[in-house]
Amino acid sequence: MPFWNRSPTPRYSLFYVADLHGSEKCFRKFVNAGKFYRVDALILGGDVTGKALVPLVRLEDGSYEARFLGRTEIARDEKELVTLEGQIRFNGFYPFRTDSEELGQLAADPVRREEHFQRVISAAVRQWVALADERLQGTGVACLVMPGNDDGEFVGEILSEGRTLINPEGRTIELGPYQMLSYGWSNITPWNSPRELPEDQLEARIEALTSDLESGRPTIYNLHVPPYGTRIDDAPEIREDLSLVGGSSATMVPVGSTAVRRVLERHAPMLGLHGHIHESRGSARLGPTVCLNPGSDYNTGILKGVIVRLRGSDVEDVQFVAA
Amino acid sequence: MSGSSVPGQAPGGNERFFTRQATGLVREVSWVDAAIYNLIWSSVPLSIAFILAFGTAFYVGGNLMIATVIAFVLALPCAVLYAVLSAAVPRSGGDYTWVSRTLHPSLGFASNLGFSFWATFFIGIYAVYLGFYGIGPVLRVAAVYTGNSSILSASDFFFSTGGVVTTGAVLVVLSALVLSFGRGLRGFMRFQRWAFVVWLIGSVLLPIAIFALADQNSFKANFDNYAQKLGGTPGAYDAYVAAGQYAGAAMDLGATFLTVTLAYYTLGFIFQSAYFGGEIKQGKRNTLLSIPGAQVIAVLMILASIAVFLSNAGAGLLAGTGAQLFGTDLSATGFTFAPLYTELAAIASGNLLVGLFITVGMLLLFILFVPQTMILLSRNLFAWSFDRLMPDRIAEVNERTHSPINAMIVIVVLSLISVAIVATNQNLTFIVGLFGLTVTYLFVSVAGIFFPYRQRDTFEASPYNARVGGVPVVSIIGVLSLIGMALISYVLLNDQNSGTALGVNPERVALALAVPTIGFVAYFIIKAIQKTRGVNIDLAYREIPPE
């Protein structure tokens, strides 16, 4: 805005990202983004945890072997092992050291595998919470991190242990001059992820949260899943076996939530923050509501996000970034 | 979360990991699917058509087979580089992202503006060709085999300037309407898969098979007979041979090198799958098979076509068609517009249905290309808008139609201008745009060289992090790509028929260089304007230090 037109209403700015899926590099960038972009708040809108474990299997000679990205990597000493683990984490996977015996047991026993997953994810999320607390304490930058549909319930509990990092899910919180409602569950997906609900139940739960909102105040809805049919919810069409319809000339279909759309249309908040669909970075308007999805490229180490500058009840400016 | 994880196997067949049930984990696109996508956009049949017609007519001493192999060798490193970069940085906007992040955002915009400009030019080319090479031949085959003269009159309309402008404009507008509605877009994607089958069989495999079995004398008789049914005088085949003045000169290496232009038209543009990455990075095998692999398939199709058509349709006839395409009047033969190799195959088949299948295959190429390229352009406009290089209204999604109407309007207007320019400037041939697109490849090649150094973490975590003698393989491929593209540029700037020969068309060369230069300068002007609004556009690509 030119200086001759500057409004007396102070500007409030936030940086929003979603779907980091275990990428440590992206999370570190997220934590540092407050100072970098000079924003008042950092918001991570769900899907914090990764999707895959990559075993580093101890070989007879004491070295470790990992197979990922179409190649076999051998780490001969601790230094190489740490480097290899870093590369695996960079891609949003969780590395873990094991031997062939344990690997066989994990492959054969789904319960044991799940316990292992939970253990590894819990440790990683705790590290992230500690990192954010340490880096952001006393900076004045709000840090809000909410679990998404891909994060088990235990993830929300760990996020709630933070001191500076706050888990805003399932309630209304104050964000500068604004109030923000947050919810990370999604509508039903083909993946049967940990936190999904049928549309009617999802709508009822979000609607229940709106009762805490103060009427007449500008409001932000931080809902992981985007509203249906807005192009920021387009994803490749897949079959029941999760293969792509049409291969590389895939058909993009809307997969957002009709419940979220109805809630937004009914309450008309100033801003809707969404993630969930990595491919459909963009903005859309639903009546007066500006809906944003920053997309995600977590597996490249690139932090996709959006800087939102608010003034009064207006969304003054939106800037997508790939940091 | 209990019981929700599964042991992972593939992509690439050499993986060992456990996945849990989480959204977005779809099966990787097979290399065959990706290769199909690449082949559709690269227009193999059009390349075959122009190699056969123009190669015989204008490239005296140029060996078409060897020129095709040279074009393959020169374009291969760039294709490998696209495969490598798309595996290392999947789903991130292709050249725009690679150049912006590796070199500088201003260079990324310069590169991508150039690519988009020439892609828009090609929309005009293909929209105009729909009449000339698509609808016209279909109707002509139908008219001859059914004996219906009214169909013949209708076909003449599609060979006229008014006809090609009309069909081109209709194709552009219809494509935009289809793409503007979710249901239409989905319908197009489904149509595309079936259209590719007809495209491949009709315009490539059937013509090769027919001429592999054809005898030149019997074909000559068929051709003359066909021409007479078009109202031509007897001896059409000989008239074409005379007009073509095909000398059959001994091979000249220099001339052969310049003939590379024609095959490069296809072999330089097989990489569209680079814009369609998966969430889990693709293995080496997949990207290498889908991009350079598709190049190999294309080269084999082109070589087979050259072999059978030169020997059994006759180089003299083909040269005659090339001469007619460039203005020699052969309308007395009955052909008001030169027949392409597909129509020759339809003639050789002697069968209405086979003839229609072949010519419809070629027609589908044009129909597929225009909307495909519009999708590509809309992605670029979105990317610029997100980065604040364009007004954010361009990327706005219309609430009622759920589509980016503003972006589509911009593309339609520019495409219609392109149609008008191409249709009224017959000397603006398809290859005029090749040099402009090659400039983008030069940017990408340089980005590839520096990628391992400027994007160290991304490089190290990618499937292509190998080194030879301490030098990253990606950088070596970048150097080879730069050499290949520099040699291609040399050809395009020296081939008198390329449309961008420095000595003949310096203004077009200047235009090809001016567009990215304008993009480079515009970046800094836009940056200054946005700064007055409190927006720092450098932030769009500036990396936050993770430590």
Side-chain angles (χ1 to χ4, degrees):
Chain A
M1 175 178 288
F3 66 91
W4 59 84
N5 196 23
R6 197 175 293 279
S7 161
T9 310
R11 179 192 255 185
Y12 189 87
S13 57
L14 59 91
F15 179 59
Y16 175 78
V17 304
D19 305 285
L20 300 195
H21 288 292
S23 168
E24 189 156 317
K25 186 172 184 185
C26 286
F27 187 77
R28 285 176 174 274
K29 289 179 175 179
F30 168 72
V31 170
N32 291 347
K35 190 177 169 190
F36 193 81
Y37 295 132
R38 295 179 191 160
V39 292
D40 300 298
L42 300 172
I43 303 172
L44 198 173
D47 282 4
V48 176
T49 56
K51 302 178 181 183
L53 292 178
V54 177
L56 293 145
V57 183
R58 210 166 96 93
L59 304 176
E60 282 182 4
D61 63 357
S63 60
Y64 283 82
E65 181 194 79
R67 293 187 207 155
F68 75 117
L69 300 181
R71 66 178 193 241
T72 301
E73 295 281 357
I74 304 286
R76 289 174 188 77
D77 53 33
E78 184 63 22
K79 190 183 168 195
E80 288 185 0
L81 200 51
V82 169
T83 302
L84 182 55
E85 286 174 334
Q87 288 176 10
I88 292 168
R89 281 196 198 93
F90 183 93
N91 286 287
F93 305 149
Y94 296 111
F96 72 99
R97 301 179 191 190
T98 185
D99 55 36
S100 52
E101 189 185 340
E102 188 189 32
L103 183 70
Q105 290 165 353
L106 287 172
D109 184 349
V111 174
R112 188 167 174 170
R113 197 161 62 236
E114 286 310 313
E115 288 170 356
H116 199 79
F117 244 118
Q118 189 157 331
R119 205 161 44 241
V120 171
I121 289 174
S122 297
V125 175
R126 280 205 173 84
Q127 276 183 358
W128 283 15
V129 171
L131 179 79
D133 281 346
E134 179 199 321
R135 295 252 173 111
L136 295 171
Q137 192 172 21
T139 61
V141 177
C143 179
L144 309 164
V145 180
M146 156 178 96
N149 65 299
D150 281 340
D151 303 313
E153 281 299 298
F154 69 97
V155 175
E157 291 164 14
I158 298 170
L159 292 173
S160 297
E161 293 168 5
R163 297 187 311 277
T164 305
L165 182 151
I166 294 167
N167 175 8
E169 197 192 23
R171 58 195 169 119
T172 296
I173 63 157
E174 297 293 312
L175 194 64
Y178 304 96
Q179 53 183 345
M180 186 170 85
L181 170 160
S182 302
Y183 204 59
W185 289 64
S186 78
N187 51 342
I188 301 296
T189 77
W191 288 273
N192 190 26
S193 62
R195 303 202 313 159
E196 298 178 0
L197 286 169
E199 294 282 7
D200 56 338
Q201 291 179 34
L202 184 62
E203 185 171 359
R205 289 209 193 176
I206 301 172
E207 192 60 47
L209 294 175
T210 64
S211 61
D212 293 336
L213 293 170
E214 201 179 309
S215 145
R217 275 186 69 194
T219 306
I220 299 166
Y221 278 37
N222 174 27
L223 304 173
H224 181 63
V225 62
Y228 179 85
T230 47
R231 281 280 170 106
I232 60 170
D233 69 320
D234 279 358
E237 188 177 7
I238 57 171
R239 301 185 186 90
E240 274 187 19
D241 67 352
L242 305 182
S243 61
L244 285 168
V245 173
S248 56
S249 48
T251 314
M252 301 297 278
V253 291
V255 297
S257 163
T258 53
V260 167
R261 184 175 180 124
R262 282 194 294 272
V263 169
L264 291 175
E265 286 174 336
R266 197 156 48 237
H267 296 279
M270 65 185 296
L271 181 65
L273 300 173
H274 313 279
H276 192 52
I277 308 300
H278 305 182
E279 301 87 348
S280 291
R281 174 178 171 88
S283 63
R285 235 175 221 286
L286 277 180
T289 309
V290 175
C291 299
L292 303 171
N293 174 2
S296 174
D297 264 348
Y298 70 91
N299 58 340
T300 65
I302 295 167
L303 179 66
K304 283 194 166 173
V306 57
I307 302 167
V308 188
R309 300 179 182 97
L310 308 170
R311 200 183 291 272
S313 56
D314 294 329
V315 177
E316 190 179 73
D317 189 74
V318 168
Q319 185 176 15
F320 288 88
V321 296
Chain B
M1 239 184 53
S2 69
S4 64
S5 71
V6 289
Q9 188 65 37
N14 188 30
E15 308 289 315
R16 184 170 57 203
F17 54 77
F18 299 112
T19 58
R20 63 193 183 91
Q21 285 182 299
T23 44
L25 283 176
V26 295
R27 281 189 185 174
E28 189 181 14
V29 171
S30 75
W31 77 267
V32 176
D33 275 330
I36 286 172
Y37 195 65
N38 291 329
L39 286 170
I40 289 176
W41 205 71
S42 62
S43 308
V44 179
L46 209 52
S47 200
I48 294 171
F50 294 134
I51 288 171
L52 294 175
F54 298 145
T56 50
F58 304 115
Y59 290 86
V60 178
N63 183 299
L64 301 183
M65 303 277 259
I66 294 174
T68 300
V69 173
I70 294 173
F72 169 67
V73 170
L74 294 181
L76 182 64
C78 190
V80 174
L81 185 62
Y82 263 80
V84 168
L85 292 176
S86 63
V89 193
R91 201 203 296 139
S92 297
D95 69 282
Y96 182 53
T97 303
W98 302 331
V99 178
S100 290
R101 295 190 70 84
T102 306
L103 301 177
H104 190 269
S106 59
L107 296 174
F109 186 53
S111 160
N112 202 237
L113 183 72
F115 186 84
S116 303
F117 179 89
W118 292 107
T120 310
F121 170 76
F122 275 98
I123 286 180
I125 290 276
Y126 279 67
V128 166
Y129 282 3
L130 175 67
F132 284 140
Y133 303 135
I135 301 171
V138 171
L139 294 179
R140 199 153 64 183
V141 166
V144 169
Y145 286 119
T146 61
N148 188 330
S149 60
S150 58
I151 298 178
L152 192 58
S153 307
S155 76
D156 285 342
F157 170 74
F158 293 100
F159 292 123
S160 69
T161 302
V164 296
V165 169
T166 305
T167 50
V170 168
L171 176 60
V172 166
V173 173
L174 275 181
S175 299
L177 287 174
V178 165
L179 299 180
S180 292
F181 297 94
R183 200 171 289 177
L185 179 61
R186 290 195 286 281
F188 170 71
M189 289 302 188
R190 292 192 183 101
F191 165 74
Q192 179 175 262
R193 293 195 287 278
W194 290 106
F196 173 72
V197 175
V198 179
W199 173 106
L200 179 69
I201 297 173
S203 66
V204 182
L205 300 182
L206 261 180
I208 291 172
I210 287 169
F211 271 95
L213 303 171
D215 157 64
Q216 194 175 137
N217 288 330
S218 59
F219 170 66
K220 184 181 174 186
N222 277 353
F223 186 84
D224 286 342
N225 186 32
Y226 184 91
Q228 280 186 280
K229 287 181 181 168
L230 290 173
T233 52
Y237 186 98
D238 290 334
Y240 269 92
V241 171
Q245 299 178 347
Y246 180 72
M251 192 197 92
D252 176 87
L253 201 57
T256 298
F257 191 56
L258 296 182
T259 312
V260 159
T261 300
L262 296 171
Y264 173 63
Y265 182 74
T266 273
L267 299 176
F269 300 90
I270 301 186
F271 57 75
Q272 277 308 296
S273 63
Y275 292 83
F276 194 90
E279 184 155 319
I280 287 186
K281 292 174 185 175
Q282 296 180 66
K284 286 180 181 178
R285 185 172 163 269
N286 196 318
T287 51
L288 284 177
L289 285 173
S290 61
I291 298 180
Q295 241 182 357
V296 172
I297 293 169
V299 114
L300 292 175
M301 291 195 287
I302 293 171
L303 290 175
S305 300
I306 293 171
V308 299
F309 273 87
L310 284 188
S311 64
N312 295 338
L317 170 75
L318 294 168
T321 62
Q324 189 180 17
L325 285 171
F326 256 73
T328 303
D329 184 8
L330 283 165
S331 56
T333 60
F335 289 95
T336 51
F337 194 80
L340 295 188
Y341 80 99
T342 37
E343 194 173 352
L344 300 182
I347 294 168
S349 76
N351 180 285
L352 171 66
L353 292 179
V354 174
L356 287 178
F357 194 78
I358 290 170
T359 47
V360 166
M362 180 62 105
L363 180 147
L364 288 172
L365 180 149
F366 306 111
I367 291 178
L368 288 178
F369 183 90
V370 169
Q372 262 197 348
T373 308
M374 284 178 148
I375 293 171
L376 188 152
L377 286 174
S378 72
R379 282 182 191 153
N380 290 351
L381 281 177
F382 265 59
W384 301 343
S385 176
F386 290 158
D387 291 352
R388 309 309 302 267
L389 293 168
M390 290 278 155
D392 49 5
R393 291 186 72 85
I394 285 187
E396 219 166 69
V397 174
N398 183 279
E399 204 179 324
R400 198 168 55 83
T401 63
H402 307 155
S403 63
I405 291 289
N406 295 340
M408 205 45 79
I409 288 171
V410 170
I411 293 167
V412 167
V413 169
L414 294 175
S415 299
L416 289 177
I417 292 170
S418 178
V419 168
I421 292 172
V422 173
T424 52
N425 289 272
Q426 298 292 329
N427 58 345
L428 278 178
T429 65
F430 67 106
I431 42 183
V432 169
L434 293 187
F435 179 64
L437 290 174
T438 306
V439 172
T440 293
Y441 290 169
L442 293 170
F443 278 105
V444 173
S445 301
V446 175
I449 294 169
F450 290 103
F451 170 71
Y453 305 100
R454 305 268 296 181
Q455 300 284 309
R456 193 180 295 274
D457 288 345
T458 309
F459 162 71
E460 294 292 357
S462 80
Y464 294 96
N465 62 357
R467 289 177 169 81
V468 175
V471 180
V473 171
V474 178
S475 297
I476 296 170
I477 296 168
V479 169
L480 293 174
S481 175
L482 189 63
I483 294 169
M485 288 304 122
L487 289 170
I488 291 279
S489 299
Y490 173 84
V491 169
L492 295 172
L493 293 173
N494 288 279
D495 170 13
Q496 302 295 303
N497 304 304
S498 73
T500 49
L502 207 48
V504 184
N505 320 98
E507 74 288 352
R508 293 180 191 166
V509 177
L511 178 65
L513 297 173
V515 177
T517 307
I518 289 168
F520 179 76
V521 174
Y523 177 87
F524 292 100
I525 295 171
I526 295 166
K527 181 179 170 177
I529 293 170
Q530 290 286 29
K531 195 175 175 185
T532 66
R533 302 179 67 244
V535 177
N536 178 2
I537 63 170
D538 281 345
L539 293 181
Y541 273 102
R542 189 173 291 168
E543 186 168 11
I544 302 172
E547 297 311 322

